[in-house]
Amino acid sequence: MEGAMTESGLILKDAGFSLQGKTILSDISLDLSERRIGIAGRNGSGKTTLLRVMAGLVAPTAGTVRLDGIDPAADRKAALARVGILFQNPDHQIIFPTVAEELAFGLRQMGQTDAAAREAVGKMLADEGRSHWATAPVHTLSQGQRQYLCLLAVLAMGPGTILLDEPFAALDLPTQIRLKRRLQALSQRLIVVSHDPDVLAGMERVVWIEGGRVQRDGPAGPVLEEFSREMKRLGEADADADLAD
């Protein structure tokens, strides 16, 4: 309707996700508009699945997800211009054999011609001081360089929201520092998933996911303090000693 306001931010209402009869997420209701948001949780808590639902890579099996008013799972072309996702392992994300081809792929998906995509890629690499990467085979890049390439591929499409799944887990310390510095300079909304409280300490807001549900949601300090206490308690209790069902 003409004059109607468009929802801004990432809004989940009673969102859930089940796969092959197993419930992974339940009753997730969040209105995420802050610039820096963390999602904390143990391995297996459902936080990576939540990120995929947010990105529209999988549709919720219950409830709704809206990003700036659109359904990211149903309208993939519109979603590409609004949200990007950076996986923990860059090798799960990279498709093409050379850097320039990888960067151009998303731009072509958004409707750019080959010529326009090549020009945009050339400018991006020049701006990043990495023009010499253009023809480099991806397999010659280090783990950290491949992660950086994936970030550039996301940034090339200009999304307002970027989702990051354990972005520092497989990187050595100098590479972590370089990637953190690059991320801190971004104007986009960042939603970062991690089991490490230190990674999320600088966030405006943290959502703690436990057993596929929201356990706590609020300012980073109090949520991470409670999360850390609970993780310590579980560690001291030998909670993994029992065999799985």
Side-chain angles (χ1 to χ4, degrees):
M1 182 172 65
E2 188 174 352
M5 294 184 65
T6 301
E7 291 179 300
S8 178
L10 185 56
I11 300 172
L12 295 85
K13 294 182 180 178
D14 303 318
F17 184 78
S18 299
L19 184 65
Q20 297 178 342
K22 180 181 180 181
T23 299
I24 301 172
L25 300 173
S26 299
D27 303 320
I28 305 285
S29 291
L30 296 167
D31 188 338
L32 304 174
S33 58
E34 292 83 359
R35 188 167 168 267
R36 296 291 184 264
I37 300 166
I39 299 177
R42 292 187 285 168
N43 291 341
S45 63
K47 59 189 189 298
T48 294
T49 300
L50 177 59
L51 212 66
R52 292 174 65 84
V53 168
M54 289 176 173
L57 298 180
V58 294
T61 54
T64 61
V65 177
R66 294 293 181 269
L67 176 62
D68 299 335
I70 66 117
D71 180 341
D75 191 345
R76 292 304 300 149
K77 187 171 183 180
L80 287 174
R82 288 171 170 82
V83 62
I85 186 167
L86 191 68
F87 295 108
Q88 178 177 345
N89 186 342
D91 295 332
H92 294 166
Q93 194 158 351
I94 292 170
I95 302 172
F96 290 91
T98 69
V99 168
E101 288 175 296
E102 183 65 29
L103 291 176
F105 175 64
L107 297 175
R108 293 200 308 271
Q109 279 191 307
M110 294 177 69
Q112 291 195 21
T113 65
D114 288 347
R118 283 195 301 270
E119 182 178 352
V121 166
K123 183 178 186 307
M124 168 171 262
L125 289 174
D127 290 345
E128 295 285 332
R130 287 168 170 79
S131 293
H132 57 293
W133 279 22
T135 58
V138 170
H139 70 82
T140 66
L141 303 182
S142 69
Q143 175 85 3
Q145 288 171 330
R146 293 197 300 277
Q147 186 79 317
Y148 200 90
L149 170 60
C150 290
L151 175 61
L152 292 182
V154 168
L155 292 176
M157 294 184 282
T161 298
I162 300 176
L163 312 175
L164 303 105
D165 186 8
E166 301 282 5
F168 311 114
L171 304 179
D172 61 24
L173 189 55
T175 308
Q176 287 183 36
I177 292 170
R178 287 192 291 268
L179 182 58
K180 285 179 182 178
R181 184 174 65 243
R182 186 66 176 87
L183 292 173
Q184 287 168 354
L186 296 177
S187 61
Q188 285 90 344
R189 177 186 300 114
L190 301 184
I191 300 177
V192 181
V193 158
S194 183
H195 66 273
D196 184 351
D198 290 340
V199 170
L200 305 179
M203 300 292 166
E204 298 171 60
R205 174 181 177 184
V206 170
V207 180
W208 171 10
I209 299 296
E210 183 69 32
R213 296 175 179 267
V214 175
Q215 179 80 6
R216 279 287 306 274
D217 176 13
V223 174
L224 290 175
E225 183 178 352
E226 184 176 341
F227 174 72
S228 297
R229 282 200 305 268
E230 178 62 9
M231 296 307 104
K232 182 179 180 182
R233 184 191 70 79
L234 290 171
E236 292 174 347
D238 285 336
D240 65 344
D242 292 336
L243 294 176
D245 292 334

